[in-house]
Every structure is written in structure tokens, then in C-alpha cells.
Amino acid sequence: REIDIEAMKAGAADYLEKTQLSAPLLERSIRYALERQHTQQQLREQADLLDVATDAIVVRSLDDKILYWNKGAERLYGWQAQEAIGKNANFLIYNENLVTQIGEVQLALKQTDTWQGELHQVAKDGKPIVVYSRWTLVRNRHAQPKSILIVNTDITEKKLLEAQFLRAQRLESIGTLASGIAHDLNNVLAPILMTAQLLESQMHDERSQRLLPIVITNAKRGAALVKQVLSFARGLEGTYTTLQIKHLITEIGQIAKQTFPKSIEIQTNI
């Protein structure tokens, strides 16, 4: 009947005709109604549990449209459900350089129905995000692909901590290398300094008396630098002392004059 068809279109799941009303039919209809209510309540509770989850849970269609977007996805990406549902997921949470990742994921889904791994994505404000993503191809009762269930765990902070740890390891390696080089330099500078000091006491001509102090001063400076490098490599804490900057600048000026060509004039005014 037309009224029955209209009722079904309006969403009626069951109906009774007054002309055929009986106790068994009424009992059946009440039982079905209670079962439907119980099922709907279970679905609402399950949906609430999905919203409580900290992970971003997304369902996307086979043509990349977003079908479901839980509260975890809202918190992670900044897009509200009403903004995300119906949008193309590739344009919403990936930029142009990252969309190529999806091709590899979809190929794996066709072969094994599942995929998991790290993905680089972007939030609504453009902030880069790294997630550990788990994809599952959902099939209907005829075993035909229906949609894709995606669960994303935010590991952005974890990746930053890993990068900091690796950087610290590199610095530690550099410190070990610097310590070895410093020891070698110390072994080179020690005989130079001792020889220069010995020559200074034995050679009294004007040229030697002018050049040997320069050699001794630079050798001592090199030894001091080596000591600083060794202290840094060993992690020793330095001590703060008062420094006369005038003497330091004067000494640097003398070294510069002896190092650079005579055509370069160096002046200091302290």
C-alpha cells in the first residue's frame, strides 16, 4: 500500500495493520522494537568508546572520502567532524609532497588487506605530524572492498626525542674524536715548546730573540687550547675568572700582525 511505502521511506522498521492486529503480532513487534532499541544503545555506547580513544580513528571510502572522524582525530588534526566528513582525506591531512605515500599504502592493502607504518601528515594549522598508522581494508558480506579503517597514533614527540638522542650521541662521538686529536696535538706541541725554550737560552742573536718568543707563545696558546678541548671532551666544569681583555686583545693583535701579510695594517684602540 502507498501508506506503507511512505512509512518505510520515512524510516519505519516495522508496522502493524489494524485489520490484522493480533496478540502474537503485537508481541513480535514489541520484541523487535526492544531489540532495535538495545542494538541502537550498543552502537551509541561503542561510538562513545571510539570518541574516548586517544588515537585518531578514521574511516575513508575507496575513493578517499572521509566517512567517520572520531574525537581523537579532532584533537590530533584540529578539524571538527562536520568539517572533515565528506572531504578528500588526501587533501585534508597530507600536503602535495606526502600524498605519494598513500599510493604505496593502497598497493599493500590490495595485496594483504592490512598495512602499518609511519606516515607524515599535517594538521589544520599546517603543523607537521608523524603518526604510526594502521590500515585495514573492510569488506562487505560478499567479500567486496567496502571502506578503509585507519587508526593513527601520534608519535611526533617521540620522533623529536629520538632525534635529540641521536644528536647527543653524535656530540658524544665528536667529543671522543676531539679528545683523541687533542692528545695527538699535545704530543706535537710539547717537543716544539721544549725545543724553542732551549734555543732561547742558547741563541742570543737579535733575530732569534725576536722570533723564538713568538714560537713559545703560540705553542703555549696551542697547549692551552688543547687543554680546553680535553676538558670539554671529559665533561669537566670550567671555572669563571676575571680577565684583562686589554692584554688578550694586544696579544691577538701581535699574532695577527705576524700572521697576515705586511700589506694588511692592524690597529687596536683600547
Side-chain angles (χ1 to χ4, degrees), residues 141-208:
R141 60 182 180 178
H142 302 296
Q144 297 298 318
K146 176 183 176 183
S147 58
I148 301 171
L149 172 65
I150 304 170
V151 180
N152 290 334
T153 303
D154 185 12
I155 58 170
T156 306
E157 186 174 351
K158 176 185 174 184
K159 299 300 288 186
L160 290 174
L161 291 174
E162 286 179 358
Q164 291 175 2
F165 177 71
L166 291 174
R167 191 156 46 245
Q169 282 188 320
R170 286 196 296 270
L171 288 175
E172 184 178 354
S173 300
I174 292 172
T176 304
L177 178 62
S179 177
I181 294 174
H183 278 295
D184 291 339
L185 286 175
N186 212 17
N187 293 334
V188 171
L189 290 171
I192 293 175
L193 182 58
M194 288 188 295
T195 301
Q197 290 174 336
L198 180 62
L199 290 174
E200 186 181 29
S201 63
Q202 294 181 356
M203 301 181 68
H204 303 288
D205 60 282
E206 181 182 352
R207 187 170 181 273
S208 298

Side-chain angles (χ1 to χ4, degrees), residues 5-206:
I5 296 173
E6 292 299 326
M8 297 298 287
K9 288 182 178 179
D14 197 6
Y15 65 92
L16 291 172
E17 293 186 8
K18 292 182 180 180
T19 58
Q20 299 178 358
L21 188 60
S22 63
L25 286 175
L26 183 59
E27 180 185 356
R28 187 201 67 177
S29 297
I30 292 173
R31 186 173 66 251
Y32 285 174
L34 291 174
E35 289 176 356
R36 284 195 303 272
Q37 184 179 9
H38 181 66
T39 302
Q40 291 173 355
Q41 179 64 26
Q42 285 183 324
L43 291 174
R44 283 194 294 269
E45 290 175 356
Q46 290 172 0
D48 291 340
L49 288 175
L50 291 177
D51 283 336
V52 171
T54 56
D55 291 339
I57 301 175
V58 179
V59 177
R60 58 191 285 172
S61 65
L62 299 180
D63 59 353
D64 302 326
K65 296 292 189 299
I66 295 174
L67 304 177
Y68 177 76
W69 188 268
N70 78 332
K71 294 292 184 182
E74 290 183 353
R75 290 189 292 269
L76 178 59
Y77 299 107
W79 294 98
Q80 297 300 308
Q82 60 269 25
E83 296 176 301
I85 292 176
K87 298 291 180 60
N88 189 307
N90 292 342
F91 297 145
L92 194 70
I93 57 177
Y94 299 92
N95 61 35
E96 294 179 358
N97 298 327
L98 303 178
V99 172
T100 53
Q101 300 175 102
I102 303 304
E104 301 174 2
V105 175
Q106 291 176 338
L107 180 62
L109 283 178
K110 291 179 181 178
Q111 296 173 347
T112 62
D113 285 4
T114 60
W115 179 89
Q116 58 183 359
E118 292 183 7
L119 289 176
H120 294 264
Q121 301 174 334
V122 290
K124 183 178 181 179
D125 58 3
K127 176 185 175 183
I129 298 172
V130 183
V131 299
Y132 187 79
S133 189
R134 297 168 292 279
W135 293 48
T136 303
L137 184 63
V138 180
R139 297 179 179 273
N140 60 22
R141 60 182 180 178
H142 302 296
Q144 297 298 318
K146 176 183 176 183
S147 58
I148 301 171
L149 172 65
I150 304 170
V151 180
N152 290 334
T153 303
D154 185 12
I155 58 170
T156 306
E157 186 174 351
K158 176 185 174 184
K159 299 300 288 186
L160 290 174
L161 291 174
E162 286 179 358
Q164 291 175 2
F165 177 71
L166 291 174
R167 191 156 46 245
Q169 282 188 320
R170 286 196 296 270
L171 288 175
E172 184 178 354
S173 300
I174 292 172
T176 304
L177 178 62
S179 177
I181 294 174
H183 278 295
D184 291 339
L185 286 175
N186 212 17
N187 293 334
V188 171
L189 290 171
I192 293 175
L193 182 58
M194 288 188 295
T195 301
Q197 290 174 336
L198 180 62
L199 290 174
E200 186 181 29
S201 63
Q202 294 181 356
M203 301 181 68
H204 303 288
D205 60 282
E206 181 182 352

